[in-house]
Amino acid sequence: MHRLSILFAAVGLLLVTTHVTAQSCDLLIENGRLVDGSGDPWFQGDIAVTDGKIAAIGRPLPHTGRIQIDATGLIVSPGFIDIHSHSDTLILRDGLAHSKIRQGVTTEILGEGYSAGPASGQRKPGFVAVANDEPLRWRTLGEYFDVLDRQTMSVNIASYVGLSAVWECVMGKSFARPNDTQLKEMEALIDQAMEQGALGLSSQVMMPPGSLATTDDLVRLAGVVKSHGGLYSTHIRNEGLGVFDSVKEAISIGERAGIPVDIIHIKIADQKYWNRMDEVLQLIEQARQRGVNVQANVYPYTRGNNNLISIIPPWAHEGGTSQLLKRLADPKDRARIKRDILSGVDQWYNHYTAIGGDWSRMLISGDHLYRGLTMDRVFKLRGNPPDKIDDLLSFLEENGGGISTVYAHHTEPDMTLALGKPWCSVGSDGSAYSVTGPLRLGNPHPRNFGTFPRVLSRYVRETQLLTLEDAIRKITSLNATKVGLHDRGLLKVGFAADITIFDPEIIADQSTYTEPFAYPLGIPYVIVNGQLTIRDGKHTGVRAGTTLRK
């Protein structure tokens, strides 16, 4: 026999006679199409999970699982990371986090502008009333994290320290300029929050108190974050006619402070500047070329939720709703309000002019007879009044000064242009609601229920704007890398077993602007820290989430 043939025969004998000892694991996922979050092409494989970690990846694996999932025909990916969430108090009221975990979200990042902590000095201590129990209270971000861990939750929670929270602790409701001593107090509060696990500094500088901070203030405060390896996450000052200067300011803060910047839900929210997103993105690209680590995120919708009362200029809001209603009833004040709505006020983001005065771009979303109707249709039902601004003010009077409204602020081409950039990730700008029980609240934006399935259905399966692999990268590892979560966002041995399993042909959002309370389709399994939390599309009641302190 030829020597090579003898060798092959011996190897064959070895393969037949050698037995691989099966290893036990807590959870075994078999036969899935693995999209590991890196952006690399999918591959067929199995995943073994032990003690909350990914223990092995391969095909086949010599493992037997206490729980086994046959993922044939399904995508197995890292759990989705929501880089922009507002579940700060809702997660304490119901830690099951239904509208997030059912989207495949395993980690929520909180703290835009107003973080839960610090809550000291002139800012009242944080608290949440819980049914049949003492209110939950805290004064620092670290204490808030402790409360979360005691309450338990189904998702992981991380947080920035919010500029508005810090500012209010020191300055209260005053619009006065802080002196050097007061700025040092703010620096100390930021340093404390970073020591307690904050991911970085987040600002909302479109409105007070965040808007009271100058660029120099922000550079100074961001410098504290640099020493902790954090980032600066910002809702820019003006997303309308001031968008270019506002993006430049965000870039300048990162460049001068020497820290990464992530621009929150980047958009052009004024009709006069629609279709100029390429110019905004060019500002970011140019900054990145010269070494400034500036990135952004979006939510995959072209409408924002606000109140119809936001159409009234700022001066008329002084003193609260009761004073506003008195001004609406005063002929002189009413005439001034009408003029300002039509012509605008310097430095005010005017919702009416931003959408080009197009009444069809305002949709009543509050609990009202006109719920689900755009304002042009409302006016028809009200007899087609010749002075629509005046009738709008009357409508506000009839509804106690305000009613929840969805504004069509920006355009699909602008949003998708940003979404297509490799440094642009996805965040919901939403909270963890529920379709039943105490967290079925108001008429929330559909992004609370459908952000991540919408990316995977509309922008992967339907329009093919993104490949499956890149879309998953944008909702997993890209967000993890931005905020410094070094053991999540990838399917990788040794990483936390946060895993989402979905059907690529079925996954879809079902929530709408008029009927928001609907969970998505096509996500049968979600695993958090190795624990099966969504099984066969149903919540198991497991609360395996933890606080992620940087």
Side-chain angles (χ1 to χ4, degrees), residues 50 153 172-173 189 206 212 240 248 258 287 320 366 380 386 482 497 536:
T50 298
M153 58 267 183
K173 301 294 185 181
L189 288 170
M206 182 177 277
L212 303 175
K248 288 176 184 177
K380 288 181 181 179
K482 284 182 179 182
D536 298 325

Side-chain angles (χ1 to χ4, degrees), residues 92 126 128 130 135-153 547 549:
L92 288 172
V128 170
V130 181
L136 304 171
R137 301 180 185 277
W138 63 89
R139 297 181 68 87
T140 68
L141 190 61
E143 289 177 4
Y144 171 72
F145 286 150
D146 291 340
V147 170
L148 280 172
D149 283 332
R150 287 197 301 270
Q151 288 295 105
T152 69
M153 58 267 183
T547 54
R549 313 187 195 201

Side-chain angles (χ1 to χ4, degrees), residues 16-28:
V16 170
T17 59
T18 299
H19 297 282
V20 178
T21 302
Q23 302 176 42
S24 62
C25 62
D26 297 328
L27 173 66
L28 181 63

Side-chain angles (χ1 to χ4, degrees), residues 271-321:
Q271 185 158 330
K272 291 181 181 178
Y273 281 6
W274 285 350
N275 301 317
R276 295 182 65 182
M277 180 59 80
D278 58 332
E279 298 173 50
V280 174
L281 302 180
Q282 189 176 25
L283 293 174
I284 295 174
E285 296 281 13
Q286 290 170 347
R288 290 182 59 79
Q289 288 171 9
R290 65 175 185 266
V292 185
N293 184 3
V294 57
Q295 302 181 70
N297 62 71
V298 298
Y299 54 79
Y301 299 86
T302 58
R303 299 182 184 184
N305 200 187
N306 208 313
N307 196 290
L308 195 59
I309 202 172
S310 63
I311 210 166
I312 292 179
W315 65 266
H317 292 266
E318 184 178 357
T321 303

Side-chain angles (χ1 to χ4, degrees), residues 24-58:
S24 62
C25 62
D26 297 328
L27 173 66
L28 181 63
I29 303 168
E30 298 179 290
N31 307 316
R33 287 166 53 192
L34 275 54
V35 181
D36 67 6
S38 69
D40 289 343
W42 69 268
F43 59 95
Q44 206 78 31
D46 305 339
I47 299 178
V49 173
T50 298
D51 295 331
K53 303 286 187 182
I54 295 175
I57 300 175

Side-chain angles (χ1 to χ4, degrees), residues 458-477:
R458 179 169 177 79
Y459 299 110
V460 174
R461 187 175 65 235
E462 296 173 14
T463 69
Q464 299 179 5
L465 172 73
L466 304 171
T467 65
L468 176 64
E469 290 84 353
D470 195 36
I472 289 177
R473 183 186 69 86
K474 287 175 177 290
I475 59 180
T476 58
S477 67

Side-chain angles (χ1 to χ4, degrees), residues 35 37 77-83 103-107 109 297-298 300 419 422 424-428 451-457 460 466-482 488-490 500 502 507 523:
V35 181
S77 82
F80 306 154
I81 297 173
D82 190 347
I83 199 171
Q103 290 187 60
V105 171
T106 57
T107 297
I109 298 172
N297 62 71
V298 298
L419 179 59
C424 188
S425 62
V426 175
S428 74
T451 292
F452 299 92
R454 180 175 175 82
V455 170
L456 295 168
S457 59
V460 174
L466 304 171
T467 65
L468 176 64
E469 290 84 353
D470 195 36
I472 289 177
R473 183 186 69 86
K474 287 175 177 290
I475 59 180
T476 58
S477 67
L478 182 54
N479 282 337
T481 300
K482 284 182 179 182
R488 294 169 203 268
L490 291 170
T500 295
F502 63 91
I507 191 169
I523 307 177

